[in-house]
Amino acid sequence: MAYSVKVEPAHVREMAIAELETNSTKTEPFYEYQSRTHDLPVVHVPIGIPIYRMANFRTRTAQQAYIRREGKPTDYFSIGEENEAAQQRQHEFLLKFANEGRKGSITPIIDVLKGERQRQPILITRRGVVVNGNRRLAAMRSLYDEDSNLYREFSTVKCQILPATATEKEIVEVEVRLQMKQRTELDYDWINECIAVKELRDSGLTMKELMALMNKKKVEIEDSINALTEADLYLAEWQSRPNDYEAIDDAKQLFFDIAENVKSKTGEGQEVSRRIAWLLADRRRTLKRRVYDFKPMFGKKSDEVAAKLAERFAVELDDSASNDIEEDDDFSIDLGDETGPTFRPLISLLDDPTRRDEVAVELIDVCEGIIEIERDRRDGQMPLNLIQQANGKLAEVDMTRADAGSLNAIGKQLDAVQAHVERLRGFLERQRSKTQAVTE
């Protein structure tokens, strides 16, 4: 039978924790609060007392999926920290994560606890909210419920208590420092990490503070925010499934690529590029190539893809110059409008949900054709590239530095090089003769 969460009233939890702290003289250093070392009190709290922190970034995607699936209010978890039903769901999310590992490198938390029991304290507030160690608490509760005799030491949980003055902002920063820096434990999934980056940015942290807190470069932070923006647009505008992040948990690189490519485009060019990417995102699991191979199709090749797709559906791409607005030569302003075809008719076609499957089939065929042409072009240049590389390497050779004992071996290599050159030159001359005969 699964562990059943019981939430004690906040004042009961506070009194219990305060009494335990009063009777304890043990402290342990904590390094991630206010960027300096604090000796925090350590107590053993009954396992039913702590409650899970609902703002935990690790569970954000699971929470959103549950809200959507069960038709719950959008704030079901954010205001449900004292709600037993919400806490039960949070327990289930966390227990699932506690059972996950990474083959060959990371052992699931629950297996570690089975063998080693609790080594490090979990971090709680004075109200009993778990700031760090939510998964461990879920695992200990599950094990204790499974066999209270075998795991009797889990009847209480070793905890460090944050100061009463800790603010919500400081609590978030503690979580990030502990959980989101480069560590040997399981990382947050990419969506939850992007959400954390964006929320911390929106909280008022400067870029410098955010870079230090998350151990990331400025470009990595900006890329994360942009990728989340593209994911939100795809889910809300294209899939009509806002916040259903579990649907794209396997598409990290794709949405980072979309963000990278569309940011350099504007107007209709950006919109058509984005829709090409969205259609490919829809079919990413059935593509015959890696999704990465399609990256140029919504990047530097997007206009070509759009033109070919429009041709297949007989969509006329009119000139983008605004012919329906007469210009006043005495009052004309250059707004930097792009010249060339307008993609509006094609965008309308792409936005038609009744034709999405049909358009996707043609789009993938167009993309495949362009990829094949590019591959043939690259293959055609490969002999020249290799010969240029070989020539460059030979030009770098300084024979005055050759060891006397290597001269014979060098001679054999040069003989082989010369033989290769004669073979290639013979083929070159034959090809030249054939080309000349065709042109005559």
Side-chain angles (χ1 to χ4, degrees), residues 55-235:
N56 185 300
F57 286 121
R58 189 181 300 277
T59 58
R60 196 66 60 84
T61 297
Q63 289 175 351
Q64 294 286 358
Y66 179 82
I67 286 170
R68 177 180 174 80
R69 185 171 61 249
E70 301 297 327
K72 299 293 185 181
T74 56
D75 59 358
Y76 179 76
F77 289 99
S78 62
I79 67 171
E81 202 158 73
E82 300 289 335
N83 179 281
E84 283 189 354
Q87 280 284 326
Q88 186 69 43
R89 298 289 84 73
Q90 186 79 344
H91 170 78
E92 292 164 7
F93 301 150
L94 292 163
L95 184 58
K96 175 179 179 291
F97 296 143
N99 278 281
E100 292 178 351
R102 189 177 297 149
K103 187 176 181 180
S105 60
I106 296 178
T107 304
I109 286 174
I110 198 164
D111 290 343
V112 174
L113 288 167
K114 286 177 181 178
E116 301 178 6
R117 302 309 197 255
Q118 185 185 7
R119 292 287 188 89
Q120 299 297 324
I122 67 173
L123 183 68
I124 63 173
T125 69
R126 291 177 182 272
R127 195 166 57 85
V129 179
V130 180
V131 176
N132 184 58
N134 283 276
R135 289 177 300 166
R136 280 180 288 152
L137 175 61
M140 286 187 280
R141 283 175 165 175
S142 178
L143 291 172
Y144 183 69
D145 184 68
E146 176 185 311
D147 192 328
S148 60
N149 184 49
L150 179 61
Y151 300 107
R152 55 186 174 276
E153 59 264 61
F154 291 159
S155 63
T156 60
V157 183
K158 182 181 179 182
C159 300
Q160 273 185 300
I161 309 171
L162 277 171
T165 54
T167 66
E168 181 60 28
K169 180 180 178 182
E170 289 171 334
I171 288 171
V172 171
E173 291 177 0
V174 166
E175 177 190 352
V176 171
R177 287 195 181 98
L178 289 170
Q179 298 289 339
M180 299 190 66
K181 289 186 177 182
Q182 296 300 316
R183 299 167 66 88
T184 56
E185 62 189 39
L186 279 171
D187 298 327
Y188 282 0
D189 70 48
W190 74 275
I191 281 287
N192 287 335
E193 182 169 330
C194 289
I195 290 172
V197 172
K198 183 176 185 300
E199 290 189 2
L200 288 166
R201 192 277 310 269
D202 292 346
S203 73
L205 289 180
T206 66
M207 180 59 74
K208 186 176 180 180
E209 290 171 331
L210 194 50
M211 290 164 62
L213 180 63
M214 303 202 70
N215 194 30
K216 289 181 178 293
K217 299 176 182 177
K218 179 181 178 181
V219 66
E220 293 175 322
I221 290 171
E222 292 173 341
D223 287 348
S224 294
I225 293 171
N226 292 336
L228 180 62
T229 298
E230 293 302 325
D232 283 335
L233 285 172
Y234 170 74
L235 290 171

Side-chain angles (χ1 to χ4, degrees), residues 203-324:
S203 73
L205 289 180
T206 66
M207 180 59 74
K208 186 176 180 180
E209 290 171 331
L210 194 50
M211 290 164 62
L213 180 63
M214 303 202 70
N215 194 30
K216 289 181 178 293
K217 299 176 182 177
K218 179 181 178 181
V219 66
E220 293 175 322
I221 290 171
E222 292 173 341
D223 287 348
S224 294
I225 293 171
N226 292 336
L228 180 62
T229 298
E230 293 302 325
D232 283 335
L233 285 172
Y234 170 74
L235 290 171
E237 296 189 8
W238 190 254
Q239 289 287 330
S240 299
R241 297 161 65 182
N243 300 323
D244 187 11
Y245 295 120
E246 286 191 337
I248 55 171
D249 61 1
D250 64 336
K252 173 182 178 179
Q253 192 58 53
L254 176 58
F255 282 97
F256 273 81
D257 288 343
I258 294 173
E260 175 190 342
N261 282 281
V262 303
K263 70 181 180 182
S264 62
K265 301 175 182 293
T266 59
E268 294 173 8
Q270 184 182 72
E271 291 306 312
V272 78
S273 175
R274 188 173 273 133
R275 283 158 174 77
I276 290 169
W278 288 349
L279 276 173
L280 292 172
D282 289 347
R283 272 57 181 190
R284 65 187 181 277
R285 297 185 183 95
T286 59
L287 296 173
K288 296 179 181 178
R289 302 174 186 269
R290 299 176 305 160
V291 177
Y292 180 82
D293 294 333
F294 290 85
K295 179 178 175 180
M297 302 303 107
F298 51 85
K300 62 184 179 180
K301 292 286 184 180
S302 62
D303 285 2
E304 181 181 348
V305 172
K308 290 181 180 293
L309 192 61
E311 183 179 351
R312 292 199 177 197
F313 286 94
V315 173
E316 188 173 349
L317 304 182
D318 300 323
D319 288 339
S320 63
S322 182
N323 297 322
D324 56 344

Side-chain angles (χ1 to χ4, degrees), residues 5-67:
V5 176
K6 302 296 181 184
V7 177
E8 296 287 353
H11 72 278
V12 173
R13 299 197 307 271
E14 289 185 40
M15 288 176 59
I17 292 170
E19 183 178 354
L20 288 168
E21 182 183 359
T22 299
N23 296 327
S24 173
T25 58
K26 183 174 176 57
T27 64
E28 289 186 11
F30 185 73
Y31 304 97
E32 303 297 345
Y33 175 57
Q34 295 180 335
S35 301
R36 60 188 178 88
T37 304
H38 291 262
D39 288 324
L40 299 184
V42 176
V43 296
H44 283 80
V45 179
I47 197 166
I49 289 290
I51 63 172
Y52 302 116
R53 181 168 171 269
M54 290 301 182
N56 185 300
F57 286 121
R58 189 181 300 277
T59 58
R60 196 66 60 84
T61 297
Q63 289 175 351
Q64 294 286 358
Y66 179 82
I67 286 170

Side-chain angles (χ1 to χ4, degrees), residues 321-347:
S322 182
N323 297 322
D324 56 344
I325 301 177
E326 294 184 4
E327 292 187 359
D328 184 343
D329 291 337
D330 295 330
F331 190 69
S332 60
I333 300 176
D334 182 6
L335 297 178
D337 291 341
E338 298 179 1
T339 58
T342 176
F343 292 117
R344 275 193 296 273
L346 181 60
I347 291 171

